Amino acid sequence: MRAVLVLALGFHYTYLILALKNNSSSVIIVGAGPAGIAAATKLLSNGFHNILILEAEPRIGGRINSVKFFDAYVDLGARWCHGQVNNIVYDMVKDMNLLGRNEFSKKLYHSSRKFVDQKFVDDFFKIVEDIYEGHDDKKINYTNLGEYCEEEYIKIVNEKFGNDPTKHELALSMVHFFEFYVLGGEGSFSWHDIAAVADYQECEGEKLQNWYGKGYKTFLDVLMKKYPNPKKQLPVDDKILLNKDVSKIQWNQSAMNKSVKLWCSDGSTYEADSVIFTPSVGVLKERAEEIFTPRLPQIKLDAIRNIGFGAVMKVYMHFPHIWWGNLTGFNLLWSEEDSKAAVQEFLEGPNWKGRSWISYMSHVLEADQNPHVLVAWFTGPLIPAIEILPNEVLINGIYFSLEKFLGHIYRVTKPDSIIPSKWYTNPHFRGTYSFQTPEAHRTSAESILAQPLNNYDNSPILMFAGEATNPTHYGTVQGAVETGYREANRILKIPFCYPIPIK
Ligand SMILES: Cc1cc2nc3c(=O)[nH]c(=O)nc-3n(C[C@H](O)[C@H](O)[C@H](O)COP(=O)(O)OP(=O)(O)OC[C@H]3O[C@@H](n4cnc5c(N)ncnc54)[C@H](O)[C@@H]3O)c2cc1C
């Protein structure tokens, strides 16, 4: 081993790179989602250019996927910048006038078409939000979020509506709807899988900031410095190879350099001194045992098993006419009887515990700057089965529901074009966003997954980034970006392997 002094011309400065190894260190980043791109930009902007990004999909962005649909971009994955305080995404764009704002619509319609008083609906949402965001002191005695929410909800409903049998009965029947509301935020298949007390830290401020119809991809351009001045962009694109599904990673803790070798499904191989692995915990759950040689330490495999990962599904729908007047969205409340009856009335598609798949569509929202487009949200255990339905069945089912709920008020039509998300079906994601299970909370699984695996000289060779490695901002884009920066900084801190700018 010998020390080598290298003089290199960097982006703005001349750099003195003091490398301890035979050649300058190299890093491979697996995955070009927000975490991978953030890691690359941090390395590049610090003059560390010996990087390669291997991305399995034919596009960059990962779970940011903005696609043009009629008048604007729609987001099949992340849509909103959640919060303004301590939010790295917000901090990067706040002075660029890029963010708009959505309101979560509190209009609610009933499957029986009976009118539901708006004051009652507002009270319901207030109860639900207070319980969901409630204090940890109350939650601590419960084994999971579902158990806590159910008990607390029934208690409050009894207190508030006990003297009004009609409202009391209606409120009690809304517990399923409450679960759908929670599942939309957590991405779990059941609220009984979610920790009652979790480590997630909300960023204060506006929760639903959208990208004015330009999509969340706008943020990736800011991250790569393509926006606002393309002349200042970092050369991230030059470092990315698309359609590279990494199928095997051999890591060698006793090698002096090129400690990691990677194989892709197309037969190509690559070597590097270290690797930052960013694919979702859904991918890790399915493939960790097959990808890593030697096997990952048991503590990491346990963390991967314990971190929660489920899915939600969005269906963007274009309608030839705006039949919904000036509604900005609506919630659909299925009664128990109607959701069961729907199994007989609408025969196509799957059912679960006697409930038709169409009754798992609980919210419909407007799209941003796209007047003819609505987006339907599905949650719950049937997502894997709903994702594989043909578009025609989806269209028929959605139309059946919309007509059932709103047909007496509006001239509902079928959408003439839809784009359904398929995050669970896609082997490069296997779900949407991570959540904390009781076991993940108890064992701090996200922090364990975030720990690097080190070489004989204690330098990191196999690092993990991605939203599920963020102990407090998991499940979000800002959480993913923070982890990409974290791992890039880890590399930049390795003694003698980072560039020193010379004035
Ligand atoms: C439907 C949906 C709605 C969401 N809404 C929001 C929201 O409103 N706001 C918010 O902040 N967050 C939201 N999120 C979450 C947010 O999108 C994610 O937390 C974030 O994108 C995760 O980034 P990541 O880099 O950790 O992982 P990813 O974005 O999943 O990136 C990992 C990359 O690795 C690639 N990959 C996988 N396997 C391999 C392999 N074997 N070889 C090579 N490459 C591989 C993948 O293709 C992917 O590009 C949403 C996500 C979804 C799906």
Side-chain angles (χ1 to χ4, degrees):
M1 193 161 44
R2 64 198 166 97
V4 181
L5 289 175
V6 185
L7 264 178
L9 279 176
F11 204 56
H12 290 299
Y13 300 97
T14 301
Y15 289 97
L16 172 67
I17 301 176
L18 187 58
L20 197 62
K21 297 177 179 172
N22 284 345
N23 47 12
S24 67
S25 288
S26 55
V27 175
I28 290 181
I29 298 167
V30 182
I37 293 177
T41 57
K42 177 66 80 180
L43 290 170
L44 289 169
S45 52
N46 281 278
F48 195 117
H49 284 256
N50 200 356
I51 65 171
L52 178 66
I53 309 174
L54 299 175
E55 167 54 53
E57 290 276 305
R59 60 170 184 89
I60 68 161
R63 281 171 274 166
I64 291 179
N65 188 8
S66 315
V67 288
K68 186 80 194 295
F69 189 54
F70 294 89
D71 294 340
Y73 281 85
V74 294
D75 279 304
L76 292 171
R79 173 177 178 190
W80 293 301
C81 172
H82 294 305
Q84 295 162 308
V85 179
N86 197 18
N87 182 332
I88 202 164
V89 172
Y90 180 76
D91 286 344
M92 287 172 79
V93 304
K94 64 181 178 215
D95 300 324
M96 296 179 180
N97 196 23
L98 292 172
L99 291 171
R101 194 181 144 194
N102 292 113
E103 288 286 341
F104 183 79
S105 168
K106 291 189 174 148
K107 280 270 173 201
L108 185 132
Y109 295 89
H110 197 274
S111 53
S112 69
R113 293 186 170 182
K114 74 180 166 208
F115 175 73
V116 188
D117 166 56
Q118 191 57 45
K119 164 84 175 62
F120 171 82
V121 179
D122 291 342
D123 286 346
F124 165 79
F125 277 112
K126 172 89 177 65
I127 294 170
V128 157
E129 280 158 18
D130 286 349
I131 296 174
Y132 186 24
E133 288 155 23
H135 214 270
D136 287 355
D137 292 352
K138 269 191 177 170
K139 296 177 176 171
I140 201 141
N141 300 319
Y142 294 86
T143 49
N144 62 65
L145 187 66
E147 192 183 274
Y148 159 73
C149 287
E150 275 168 354
E151 264 193 51
E152 194 65 13
Y153 181 74
I154 290 169
K155 198 174 92 199
I156 294 176
V157 163
N158 286 344
E159 278 164 17
K160 195 164 173 66
F161 302 114
N163 295 330
D164 184 333
T166 314
K167 282 188 180 157
H168 187 242
E169 194 192 346
L170 181 62
L172 285 180
S173 77
M174 289 169 81
V175 71
H176 277 306
F177 184 82
F178 182 9
E179 179 171 11
F180 294 156
Y181 177 85
V182 169
L183 298 186
E186 304 278 347
S188 166
F189 290 139
S190 159
W191 61 1
H192 294 289
D193 296 338
I194 307 165
V197 177
D199 296 314
Y200 185 78
Q201 286 172 11
E202 292 274 354
C203 299
E204 292 301 316
E206 285 300 329
K207 293 284 177 288
L208 304 181
Q209 301 169 94
N210 65 55
W211 300 87
Y212 276 130
K214 295 195 172 71
Y216 215 130
K217 71 170 177 49
T218 310
F219 170 69
L220 296 176
D221 290 342
V222 174
L223 194 57
M224 294 186 280
K225 298 200 175 16
K226 289 183 181 177
Y227 185 91
N229 182 357
K231 286 191 184 141
K232 291 198 172 161
Q233 69 179 282
L234 294 162
V236 184
D237 291 336
D238 304 345
K239 305 290 182 185
I240 301 177
L241 296 181
L242 297 175
N243 298 307
K244 291 288 177 186
D245 174 278
V246 174
S247 52
K248 186 175 158 193
I249 300 179
Q250 193 175 63
W251 51 291
N252 182 349
Q253 289 177 293
S254 53
M256 275 191 190
N257 55 16
K258 303 291 177 222
S259 312
V260 198
K261 187 166 179 189
L262 299 92
W263 282 258
C264 292
S265 305
D266 64 3
S268 54
T269 59
Y270 303 88
E271 286 181 328
D273 293 304
S274 46
V275 160
I276 304 177
F277 189 87
T278 75
S280 75
V281 77
V283 170
L284 281 169
K285 279 177 192 288
E286 185 174 73
R287 293 176 74 184
E289 295 268 8
E290 124 205 352
I291 288 182
F292 298 99
T293 310
R295 195 171 179 259
L296 294 179
Q298 191 57 44
I299 187 169
K300 243 188 218 303
L301 294 172
D302 289 345
I304 291 165
R305 196 188 61 243
N306 287 333
I307 294 173
F309 205 64
V312 299
M313 182 179 174
K314 298 190 208 181
V315 182
Y316 282 94
M317 311 173 281
H318 177 269
F319 295 88
H321 308 291
I322 303 173
W323 52 259
W324 52 93
N326 52 12
L327 283 181
T328 57
F330 36 90
N331 300 281
L332 306 178
L333 174 64
W334 283 86
S335 71
E336 195 70 14
E337 313 82 77
D338 285 339
S339 64
K340 292 199 163 132
V343 173
Q344 307 302 326
E345 291 165 7
F346 187 81
L347 297 174
E348 299 167 283
N351 313 304
W352 194 73
K353 291 197 175 169
R355 292 175 68 104
S356 164
W357 67 276
I358 54 175
S359 67
Y360 289 87
M361 178 175 96
S362 50
H363 314 293
V364 178
L365 314 175
E366 64 180 343
D368 306 322
Q369 316 297 319
N370 219 344
H372 285 247
V373 176
L374 294 174
V375 52
W377 274 71
F378 288 84
T379 54
L382 280 178
I383 298 297
I386 301 173
E387 274 194 6
I388 56 174
L389 290 175
N391 277 8
E392 200 193 330
V393 176
L394 281 173
I395 289 174
N396 290 341
I398 290 170
Y399 173 68
F400 179 91
S401 296
L402 294 176
E403 174 61 27
K404 183 172 185 66
F405 281 81
L406 299 162
H408 59 305
I409 313 172
Y410 299 102
R411 298 189 87 182
V412 177
T413 62
K414 272 191 184 184
D416 57 9
S417 178
I418 62 166
I419 318 184
S421 68
K422 294 184 189 290
W423 296 104
Y424 184 85
T425 314
N426 188 322
H428 302 136
F429 300 96
R430 287 292 184 232
T432 49
Y433 26 90
S434 72
F435 61 92
Q436 214 168 34
T437 64
E439 206 49 21
H441 175 66
R442 197 182 62 73
T443 56
S444 301
E446 297 80 10
S447 301
I448 292 172
L449 183 57
Q451 286 301 312
L453 297 168
N454 292 338
N455 210 342
Y456 69 98
D457 63 0
N458 225 18
S459 55
I461 53 173
L462 187 50
M463 284 160 277
F464 293 85
E467 53 88 9
T469 71
N470 193 314
T472 54
H473 287 157
Y474 51 83
T476 62
V477 174
Q478 71 263 27
V481 171
E482 285 172 353
T483 66
Y485 284 172
R486 181 191 67 210
E487 296 313 311
N489 281 330
R490 204 188 291 282
I491 288 168
L492 294 170
K493 279 188 203 139
I494 300 172
F496 307 121
C497 284
Y498 58 92
I500 307 155
I502 314 168
K503 298 246 163 84

